[in-house]
Amino acid sequence: MRNTEAAGTTGVVLAAGYGARLGRGPKALLPYRGRPLVEAVAEALLGGGCREVVVVLGAGAQDVLAAARLDGCRTVVNEEWQSGMGSSLLLGNAATDPRDHLMIALVDQPGLSSLAVERLLASHRPGRVTAAAYDDGAAAADGGLRRGHPLVIDTSLRQAVAATVMGDAGARAFLRSHPELVDEVDCSDLSSGLDVDTPEQLYLLG
C-alpha cells in the first residue's frame, strides 16, 4: 500500500455523455441555474476541498469548451465516449496525479454541493472507498441507503479499481466485489442524489 499521508484529492467530473434520452445535446450543457451544469458540478468539487478538478468531456466537447467556464479545471477529451462511462473514468484516472485520491462525480447530478464534497473528504479513511449515500424512500423501507456519487477512491486502491472498469459500469464491479472496503456517508440532508436521464427530470432542475 502506498504512503497516503501527503495525498490530496483530485476531483474527476465524468461529463462525456450525450444524453440521447433527453434530446438536448451534451449533458454537460444542460441549463442549471443560469449556466451549464458542468460548471456547477466542477465548482462544487473545487469549493468542497478538491485541490484540482479534471473534467472528462466527450460528446460535443468543442461546444462545451466554448460555452462553459471551467476556470481552475483541466479538461481532457474522451474520443471513445460512446463506449460507456468506464472509458471516461479510466481517462480521468490516467490524467491525474497518481499520488492523489480521486473523487468521482457525475455531470448529470445537479444536487451536488460543496457541503457534500466536504463531508465525504472529512469522512474518508486511508485504504478505503467513501461513497455518498441517499435515502430515496424505497431504500428506507428496509432501513438502508442507496449508494451513489460522488465517491472517493483512495490512492492505494486506484490501480485495483481501474483493473475492473469496463463498459458503462464504472467502478461498480469493484464496489460489489469489495463491500468491506466501502464506507457510505449519508448525504440525504443535502441532496436526493438523483441524476438526470429523462425530460421530466430536467424540469426539476432549479
Side-chain angles (χ1 to χ4, degrees):
M1 183 176 293
R2 301 174 192 164
N3 179 5
T4 63
E5 183 178 350
T9 300
T10 294
V12 175
V13 183
L14 303 183
Y18 182 69
R21 283 180 287 180
L22 283 165
R24 295 286 297 271
K27 281 190 171 184
L29 291 180
L30 289 175
Y32 182 66
R33 298 180 179 176
R35 58 178 174 167
L37 183 53
V38 66
E39 287 185 18
V41 175
E43 183 178 276
L45 293 180
L46 285 171
C50 290
R51 72 169 191 83
E52 182 183 31
V53 171
V54 173
V55 180
V56 183
L57 301 175
Q62 295 308 311
D63 294 333
V64 176
L65 289 170
R69 294 184 58 184
L70 296 172
D71 302 336
C73 301
R74 286 195 295 122
T75 59
V76 294
V77 178
N78 179 10
E79 302 292 350
E80 306 296 327
W81 64 268
Q82 290 177 305
S83 66
M85 182 173 61
S87 59
S88 290
L89 196 160
L90 291 175
L91 182 59
N93 179 58
T96 58
D97 189 328
R99 296 169 295 183
D100 276 6
H101 312 308
L102 291 188
M103 175 172 279
I104 307 298
L106 307 181
V107 76
D108 58 356
Q109 192 174 355
L112 178 61
S113 68
S114 58
L115 291 176
V117 173
E118 289 176 4
R119 184 177 296 177
L120 290 168
L121 293 181
S123 300
H124 182 68
R125 295 186 290 164
R128 301 185 66 78
V129 174
T130 307
Y134 305 92
D135 174 0
D136 60 3
D142 59 8
L145 296 170
R146 173 180 52 81
R147 187 176 65 226
H149 288 81
L151 56 85
V152 181
I153 301 172
D154 194 80
T155 180
S156 65
L157 297 176
R158 286 176 55 173
Q159 186 174 357
V161 171
T164 69
V165 172
M166 58 189 305
D168 202 40
R172 193 179 307 151
F174 182 88
L175 299 179
R176 287 178 175 173
S177 299
H178 299 281
E180 75 283 358
L181 296 179
V182 181
D183 295 321
E184 294 185 355
V185 177
D186 192 350
C187 294
S188 303
D189 60 318
L190 301 175
S191 168
S192 68
L194 297 176
D195 55 15
V196 179
D197 288 317
T198 68
E200 291 76 18
Q201 291 169 327
L202 179 59
Y203 293 124
L204 298 178
L205 292 176

